[in-house]
Amino acid sequence: MGLVKSEKFTDQQNEIALFAKVFGHPARVSILQYLFNINSCVCGDIVNQIGLSQPTVSQHLKELKHLGLIKGSVEGTSVCYCIHKENWAAMKEVMIAFLDQDIPQTDCC
Amino acid sequence: MGLVKSEKFTDQQNEIALFAKVFGHPARVSILQYLFNINSCVCGDIVNQIGLSQPTVSQHLKELKHLGLIKGSVEGTSVCYCIHKENWAAMKEVMIAFLDQDIPQTDCC
DNA sequence: TTATATTATTGCAATGTTACGATTAATAGG
DNA sequence: CCTATTAATCGTAACATTGCAATAATATAA
């Protein structure tokens, strides 16, 4: 098979999994941390920061953009990427609600 | 290729990615939510809850266990799984620190 | 227009993931 | 011992992901 049976799960569960999946690669984690730490919205030097090739970085950026977590705007010959604040906040709420569940008091294992 | 170049990233980035990866499948999200919501640490009826086959569920449980997020104890012929509280709390801290980064004030895009 | 710079896309090889049937442990109860 | 129950493992087919060389697209400058 190799394909996820999404129809077996709730929309919420699939949404959490989609967000988590995009964070499931250190390059994308690294790109996001870079965008957070840089004060101005710096562009294609992400490629220099990350030690991967330009096509590979471009592909990771595409996935982040597709999920709406970053946005890019053309600035001359280069493109400027930055965090999409509203979408990031919405994602954060969903993910933290999942992570922050109350652990049952009754100990069993 | 098809293999992640982990050596290009920090331990922290790789750790975040590993945690996120295990949440990157709705079956594992569903299993965890189930374990959170069930008061007693119920066992193999996870297979009935999740609509996937027993081997598939067992494989997902293995991954969760491997990361230390759940623990299982044998109870007769069945096995009882539940959240590993300490490890979950540690993971939560790492993930929330990542999600909760301050967005730069200077708007650029 | 031509050259240069930057980013996106294409194509593909190597590897990883998902799912399940079949089988194999492991344990409990006769 | 034998049988039933439950869960783990094996094997494997289908599909997804990762990474990069080569190339195409886009925009600026001369």
Side-chain angles (χ1 to χ4, degrees):
Chain A
M1 279 73 218
L3 80 173
V4 176
K5 298 200 166 178
S6 312
E7 72 280 4
K8 302 245 178 186
F9 308 101
T10 67
D11 289 351
Q12 187 223 26
Q13 287 162 345
N14 283 310
E15 192 188 21
I16 291 170
L18 280 180
F19 283 136
K21 206 171 170 186
V22 88
F23 299 140
H25 194 295
R28 292 189 290 264
V29 171
S30 177
I31 288 171
L32 290 167
Q33 286 182 334
Y34 183 71
L35 290 180
F36 270 113
N37 289 325
I38 287 298
N39 227 8
S40 78
C41 146
V42 186
C43 334
D45 39 20
I46 301 172
V47 177
N48 298 328
Q49 261 287 313
I50 316 295
L52 301 176
S53 74
Q54 180 268 318
T56 302
V57 172
S58 191
Q59 194 174 292
H60 285 304
L61 286 169
K62 191 181 175 184
E63 287 178 68
L64 289 168
K65 200 176 173 186
H66 185 252
L67 254 187
L69 296 176
I70 64 173
K71 50 185 172 178
S73 59
V74 180
E75 307 253 332
T77 71
S78 56
V79 178
C80 173
Y81 284 104
C82 56
I83 304 290
H84 190 305
K85 301 181 185 184
E86 294 79 13
N87 292 354
W88 183 272
M91 174 282 297
K92 196 167 86 176
E93 203 169 326
V94 172
M95 292 306 284
I96 288 184
F98 169 69
L99 295 171
D100 213 22
Q101 290 175 84
D102 285 329
I103 300 169
Q105 310 85 334
T106 43
D107 218 84
C108 29
C109 299
Chain B
M1 279 74 217
L3 81 172
V4 175
K5 298 200 163 179
S6 313
E7 73 279 4
K8 301 246 178 183
F9 307 100
T10 68
D11 289 351
Q12 188 222 25
Q13 287 162 344
N14 284 311
E15 192 187 20
I16 292 171
L18 279 180
F19 282 137
K21 205 169 169 188
V22 89
F23 299 141
H25 194 294
R28 292 189 289 266
V29 171
S30 177
I31 289 170
L32 290 166
Q33 286 181 332
Y34 184 71
L35 291 179
F36 270 113
N37 289 325
I38 288 299
N39 225 8
S40 79
C41 146
V42 186
C43 331
D45 39 20
I46 300 171
V47 178
N48 299 328
Q49 261 286 315
I50 315 294
L52 301 176
S53 75
Q54 180 267 318
T56 302
V57 172
S58 193
Q59 196 173 294
H60 285 303
L61 287 168
K62 191 181 176 184
E63 287 178 68
L64 288 168
K65 199 176 172 183
H66 185 251
L67 253 187
L69 296 176
I70 64 173
K71 50 185 172 180
S73 59
V74 180
E75 306 254 329
T77 69
S78 54
V79 177
C80 172
Y81 283 104
C82 57
I83 303 291
H84 191 304
K85 301 182 186 187
E86 295 78 14
N87 291 355
W88 184 271
M91 173 282 297
K92 196 168 86 176
E93 204 169 327
V94 172
M95 291 305 285
I96 288 185
F98 169 68
L99 296 171
D100 214 21
Q101 291 176 83
D102 285 328
I103 300 170
Q105 311 85 331
T106 42
D107 218 85
C108 28
C109 300

